[in-house]
Amino acid sequence: MSCCSSSVPIAPPPPTTLPPLRRRCRAAALTFPTTARAHRTVAARAALSDPFVLEIAEKLEDSLSSSDAAASPLPLQKLRDSASQSLLSKRWPSTKDEPFRFTNLSFLRSSLLLPAPSPTFPLDPALDSPSPHVLAVVDGHVAPSLSRLSALPSGVFAGSVSALPPGPTLDRVLTALAQGFGDGDLFWDLNGVGAPDMAVIFVPAGVRVVDEPVHVQICYSEGCEVGSERLPVSSPRVLVVVEKGAEVSIVEEHLGIGGSEERCYWANSVMEILIGEGGKVVHSYVQRQSVNAAHIKWTFARQETSSVYELIEVSNGGRLSRHNLHIQQLGPDTVTELSAFHVCQNNQTQDLHSTLILDHPRGYSRQLHKCIVSHSSGHAVFDGNIRVNRYFIPLSPRN
């Protein structure tokens, strides 16, 4: 990509909305930073842009109408802006990249990826759950008509970020998002660009929601027949904020509905969890997608002082299933317990990549992973990584 020279910084006037990614990449290459280091950074990001990645991202951007994008709540706007900038330096991974050395993504690369359209409510059949607290998300959109949230304790919020009124809760959500996540990969950023909505669960200080869990049903209604080159893409995103001394139990379930139980689609999901001082989150994650679907999910949990995070994971769906689990210790005396059970059948890949970063004293961690491969064409991958940094003093790690 060519670049003109000038001694005066040139920058276009700020648009009301960010332009599509290809134009933004070109603009980055034609903007002249005031320092040599900044110039090299901009040039490198523009040169590294992957045309295939940009094509997917542009489709996701285009699927969000300009009117909807302009009316998006501030947290979503900030998320999309940050993710679209990060994508300029991301490329599609291959088996030559260490994190994907044993995970073949050619199934996705060879498909015609198309954003799933907005669902029409109500859907048939209706969703079912034994819990009185149900937060339904369909094709990335929070579905109030399919949710049951009236029995939640006072002060607890569960719903779309667009339903958050101005005030302390919205401010706390913005603060949580502003902390960012520097280790997210391509799929983290693609979710940020394409998320049409954001589901939020907020539990204020001292409140407990433990006897009856919040059942987050993340559903996929768009799918194509087996053999079709088309692959609908959904980008659901969930943010969980648990304040000081609060507790919540969450059941996160992913499944196809409305005829998509056996169809082909791509679920690219993200859940962020922030646990305040002395807080506790018990997180059950159930993945039972169509056996012809691709399911790529990020879970990013941050634990403040004396907090507890427990994850129980069961995964048996999807032709390709990849879970990226990243847990960051933000203070001392944390407890982290991770348990996973995967089942691989005919032509299935089940992949768990986990990272636990311990930066503070007296952290306790325990991880257990079990997998059954019941067919010769099944493929199981597990990569568990623990980073123990300088100031960490283990209490009793068992992994």
Side-chain angles (χ1 to χ4, degrees):
M1 188 172 292
S2 62
C3 182
C4 306
S5 62
S6 172
S7 60
V8 180
I10 301 174
T16 54
T17 58
L18 287 174
L21 280 163
R22 286 187 189 276
R23 294 204 300 271
R24 195 178 310 148
C25 181
R26 189 177 300 114
L30 295 175
T31 300
F32 299 92
T34 56
T35 67
R37 179 180 180 182
H39 178 84
R40 290 194 299 269
T41 300
V42 169
R45 288 172 69 87
L48 287 173
S49 297
D50 184 331
F52 180 69
V53 170
L54 294 180
E55 181 182 353
I56 300 171
E58 282 192 323
K59 289 179 181 179
L60 293 172
E61 280 191 335
D62 293 342
S63 69
L64 307 173
S65 68
S66 58
S67 58
D68 289 345
S72 296
L74 185 59
L76 266 181
Q77 293 178 19
K78 289 182 175 294
L79 172 67
R80 291 169 184 162
D81 292 351
S82 173
S84 60
Q85 290 296 330
S86 179
L87 270 175
L88 293 181
S89 59
K90 299 289 176 64
R91 61 184 179 84
W92 189 264
S94 72
T95 53
K96 295 181 180 179
D97 299 302
E98 182 61 29
F100 291 89
R101 188 156 61 102
F102 301 106
T103 307
N104 192 339
L105 300 176
S106 59
F107 165 47
L108 296 178
R109 181 69 189 249
S110 62
S111 299
L112 177 59
L113 303 175
L114 299 171
S118 300
T120 301
F121 302 110
L123 294 171
D124 188 34
L127 303 181
D128 186 29
S129 171
S131 175
H133 314 310
V134 179
L135 177 58
V137 179
V138 180
D139 297 329
H141 298 261
V142 173
S145 62
L146 302 177
S147 303
R148 294 195 304 267
L149 302 167
S150 60
L152 285 170
S154 176
V156 176
F157 176 87
S160 171
V161 66
S162 61
L164 274 173
T169 301
L170 178 58
D171 294 342
R172 188 69 176 98
V173 167
L174 287 170
T175 300
L177 292 174
Q179 295 180 13
F181 177 42
D183 292 331
D185 64 0
L186 167 68
F187 302 104
W188 173 278
D189 288 332
L190 284 176
N191 176 278
V193 169
D197 197 356
M198 181 191 298
V200 175
I201 299 174
F202 176 82
V203 185
V207 176
R208 301 175 72 247
V209 187
V210 294
D211 294 332
E212 297 288 354
V214 179
H215 189 176
V216 184
Q217 287 191 309
I218 303 179
C219 308
Y220 306 87
S221 66
E222 288 292 326
C224 293
E225 298 297 333
V226 177
S228 171
E229 294 182 354
R230 299 163 61 91
L231 198 66
V233 183
S234 295
S235 305
R237 195 171 189 108
V238 182
L239 173 65
V240 180
V241 179
V242 177
E243 295 283 65
K244 182 177 181 179
E247 297 184 30
V248 66
S249 295
I250 296 173
V251 177
E252 176 192 3
E253 181 182 21
H254 293 257
L255 69 160
I257 62 170
S260 290
E261 293 86 345
E262 302 296 329
R263 292 187 175 185
C264 301
Y265 54 87
W266 176 16
N268 187 38
S269 175
V270 167
M271 175 176 279
E272 290 187 72
I273 302 172
L274 177 59
I275 313 173
E277 180 181 349
K280 181 177 181 179
V281 171
V282 178
H283 180 194
S284 300
Y285 162 50
V286 181
Q287 190 276 102
R288 55 187 192 96
Q289 301 277 29
S290 160
V291 293
N292 299 302
H295 179 84
I296 297 180
K297 168 180 162 59
W298 266 96
T299 301
F300 174 36
R302 288 167 284 178
Q303 293 187 245
E304 295 184 356
T305 300
S306 302
S307 64
V308 177
Y309 177 63
E310 298 177 6
L311 172 66
I312 301 174
E313 172 181 345
V314 178
S315 179
N316 67 351
R319 173 178 170 181
L320 166 65
S321 177
R322 164 76 172 235
H323 185 195
N324 299 297
L325 173 63
H326 186 103
I327 302 168
Q328 176 78 56
Q329 185 193 35
L330 302 181
D333 302 303
T334 57
V335 175
T336 308
E337 298 196 42
L338 311 173
S339 302
F341 176 59
H342 290 182
V343 177
C344 302
Q345 303 180 64
N346 184 18
N347 198 32
Q348 279 187 300
T349 296
Q350 297 282 352
D351 180 356
L352 172 62
H353 273 61
S354 67
T355 301
L356 172 61
I357 299 180
L358 300 172
D359 283 322
H360 299 272
R362 299 180 303 279
Y364 171 92
S365 66
R366 181 175 64 181
Q367 183 169 18
L368 175 66
H369 180 76
K370 293 188 176 182
C371 185
I372 295 176
V373 181
S374 63
H375 195 277
S376 59
S377 63
H379 187 54
V381 181
F382 172 63
D383 186 322
N385 184 283
I386 300 178
R387 303 178 193 172
V388 180
N389 293 328
R390 179 178 178 182
Y391 297 106
F392 172 75
I393 301 173
L395 177 64
S396 176
R398 289 186 292 166
N399 296 280

